[in-house]
Amino acid sequence: MVTALQDSPLTSDEVLRFVARLQASDVVVDAAAGIDLISALETVKCVSVATQAVVTDAVATAISAERKELGKPKAQWRSGIASQIGLARRESPNRGGTHLGLARALVHEMPHTLARLKAGELNEWRVMILARETACLTVDDRRTIDERLCADPATLAGAGDRTIEGRARALANELDAASQVRRRAKAYAARRTSTRPAPESMGFFTVLTSMEKMVCMWATLRRDADTIINAGGDTRTRDQIMADLVFERITGTSAAQGPPVTVDIVISDSTLLAGGDTSAYLHGYGDIPSDVARQLIRDALDSETHIALRRLYAHPKSGALTAVESTSRGFPTALGRLIDLRDRTCRTPWCDAPIRHHDHIRPHTAGGKTSAENGAGLCAACNYAKEGEGWTAEAIRDKRNARHRYRLISPTGHTYDSSAPPMPVVELYSSQIENVMITGLFDDDAA
């Protein structure tokens, strides 16, 4: 049972004092007391999420109201708010938008669900399921489902994720069957492909499409793989053949021939040529072991794939990639490639989205140079948010030959710093004289 101790507004200092108490607490040895503590902490998590939702909606409302009073166009009332929420929660702007949408739904349309969250009876994920399954409904229908499922705590007591999802979907079908048709059309409009790294230098290539097309693609691959197996002479498994068929049919080349497009591998000279063990970086994937990088290069050399060696220069101690100056406004291809290789993903903290824009940190209209120092790789959403009113940014050089640092300042004055990852090309030589000579090459500003 939770008892309110005071009615005064909650402050961040109070929360941080409680956090400090948790951080300084000892581990409970008694099993029964430990189970009670785990349950109590779960309630704390749920109540914290509910409070975050209420505060998130209040912040969005306050910012929108202020802009409205200032006479700003309606299109600007909510601009950049999702990015501020995401940064405050140490997540990407995309996730910030999700949290903002959930907060508005809970506060304005789903009061009973919010109450169950505050009571610790529903966690954030299950609340998200309820909001997702009712998003296609009218406000009145959503409130009806909210009341029928969450007004009485006993209704969903002990229910798991699939049960909650099924009951919410069944009620949605009952109240508005046509909404499910609209929902399916909206979902199909969002069809896409995506990639993400997997362990052991592997990766997932995912296609999001309609159910019937997914089944058709899978059945076709399986049929053709079985045909190859039945023909005999192939030592690959069915799964391996199906994976190879996907590559061959998308690229138009044999899986053994390698990718027909540019694949950038950043590797130190000593690792490539002298058997060093410094990890390499595969652009678009991430760090890979040196042995894997050398094997990829050997395989490409053994095939008909065109190989080009492009030299990059990094400071031997910090790993900072050297700058390339340009007087043009648009980032030239070579400079854009340098920024891509230096930043790897969107430079906004906690955003791992692919780079889509090469942004001037200090705007070109304010005298910002088109250079690696004043350039940052951003995803489209972060770049558009940064262009909103009240956002500023600056490149930071706090010490000589340091890696590129980028500071983002939100309209509320909160600052968020981002450092470019080190390049996997750092090498110090055994000779002191050589080290002095090499270091001297980088006395000028580095990227």
Side-chain angles (χ1 to χ4, degrees), residues 36-81:
D36 288 340
L37 182 57
I38 291 173
S39 180
L41 290 172
E42 186 63 26
T43 300
V44 169
K45 287 165 57 179
C46 296
V47 175
S48 296
V49 170
T51 305
Q52 273 188 322
V54 173
V55 174
T56 296
D57 177 70
V59 167
T61 301
I63 294 175
S64 298
E66 181 181 355
R67 292 175 179 175
K68 182 178 180 180
E69 290 176 2
L70 292 174
K72 300 293 182 182
K74 189 173 182 179
Q76 297 181 11
W77 291 356
R78 297 182 182 178
S79 175
I81 296 178

Side-chain angles (χ1 to χ4, degrees), residues 25 82 126 175 189 196 204 228 234 252 291 297 348 429:
S25 62
R126 288 169 183 166
L175 292 173
R196 71 179 189 275
F204 293 101
I228 294 174
D234 200 311
D291 289 342
I297 295 171
T348 301
Y429 297 88

Side-chain angles (χ1 to χ4, degrees), residues 49-61 99-115 117-118 127 131 139 142-143 146:
V49 170
T51 305
Q52 273 188 322
V54 173
V55 174
T56 296
D57 177 70
V59 167
T61 301
H99 292 306
L100 176 58
L102 177 63
R104 296 186 68 85
L106 291 175
V107 173
H108 299 285
E109 301 173 5
M110 306 175 73
H112 297 294
T113 303
L114 179 60
L117 184 62
K118 283 185 176 180
V127 166
V139 173
R142 180 179 241 182
R143 286 173 177 163
D146 173 60

Side-chain angles (χ1 to χ4, degrees), residues 101-289:
L102 177 63
R104 296 186 68 85
L106 291 175
V107 173
H108 299 285
E109 301 173 5
M110 306 175 73
H112 297 294
T113 303
L114 179 60
R116 299 284 71 77
L117 184 62
K118 283 185 176 180
E121 296 159 354
L122 287 176
N123 60 26
E124 183 176 25
W125 175 243
R126 288 169 183 166
V127 166
M128 189 81 74
I129 290 174
L130 288 171
R132 183 190 67 200
E133 295 302 322
T134 58
C136 57
L137 302 176
T138 64
V139 173
D140 289 339
D141 285 343
R142 180 179 241 182
R143 286 173 177 163
T144 298
I145 294 179
D146 173 60
E147 182 176 2
R148 291 173 65 173
L149 290 182
C150 296
D152 183 356
T155 303
L156 294 180
D161 296 352
R162 291 187 179 181
T163 299
I164 291 174
E165 179 180 353
R167 297 185 67 173
R169 187 173 297 174
L171 286 174
N173 289 333
E174 176 185 324
L175 292 173
D176 188 0
S179 69
Q180 301 306 307
V181 177
R182 295 193 299 270
R183 179 177 178 178
R184 187 181 187 281
K186 182 178 179 181
Y188 184 67
R191 60 192 182 277
R192 63 185 182 275
T193 61
S194 61
T195 62
R196 71 179 189 275
E200 309 300 338
S201 302
M202 299 292 282
F204 293 101
F205 179 82
T206 306
V207 178
L208 178 64
T209 188
S210 61
M211 177 179 59
E212 67 276 9
K213 289 186 177 180
M214 176 271 295
V215 172
C216 179
M217 289 189 295
W218 179 264
T220 301
L221 288 171
R222 186 177 179 87
R223 179 201 64 194
D224 294 349
D226 288 341
T227 300
I228 294 174
I229 291 174
N230 293 334
D234 200 311
T235 60
R236 293 175 294 173
T237 66
R238 177 184 288 107
D239 287 341
Q240 290 172 339
I241 294 174
M242 291 172 69
D244 290 344
L245 286 175
V246 171
F247 177 85
E248 292 169 2
R249 290 174 180 179
I250 291 178
T251 64
T253 60
S254 168
Q257 191 175 349
V261 296
T262 299
V263 176
D264 290 318
I265 298 177
V266 183
I267 186 171
S268 70
D269 52 358
S270 61
T271 300
L272 175 62
L273 304 174
D277 56 6
T278 302
S279 66
Y281 178 78
L282 177 61
H283 190 57
Y285 176 87
D287 292 302
I288 59 176

Side-chain angles (χ1 to χ4, degrees), residues 313-323 338 342-343 347 372-373 395-406 418-423 426 439 442-447:
Y313 295 93
H315 189 271
K317 292 182 179 179
S318 67
L321 194 61
T322 57
L338 184 144
R342 182 196 67 192
D343 295 347
R347 283 291 296 277
E373 175 70 17
I396 304 171
R397 180 58 61 82
D398 50 5
K399 61 181 180 179
R400 195 173 188 175
N401 296 321
R403 299 198 306 272
H404 186 268
R405 289 185 62 201
Y406 169 56
S418 168
S419 294
M423 299 296 293
V426 178
T439 303
F442 298 91
D443 282 344
D444 295 333
D445 286 344

Side-chain angles (χ1 to χ4, degrees), residues 292-329:
V292 173
R294 284 191 292 266
Q295 185 62 49
L296 290 173
I297 295 171
R298 279 195 297 267
D299 291 344
L301 289 171
D302 291 339
S303 68
E304 298 179 358
T305 303
H306 175 70
I307 300 293
L309 180 66
R310 187 189 304 272
R311 288 178 292 184
L312 303 175
Y313 295 93
H315 189 271
K317 292 182 179 179
S318 67
L321 194 61
T322 57
V324 177
E325 295 293 335
S326 171
T327 57
S328 63
R329 176 171 181 176

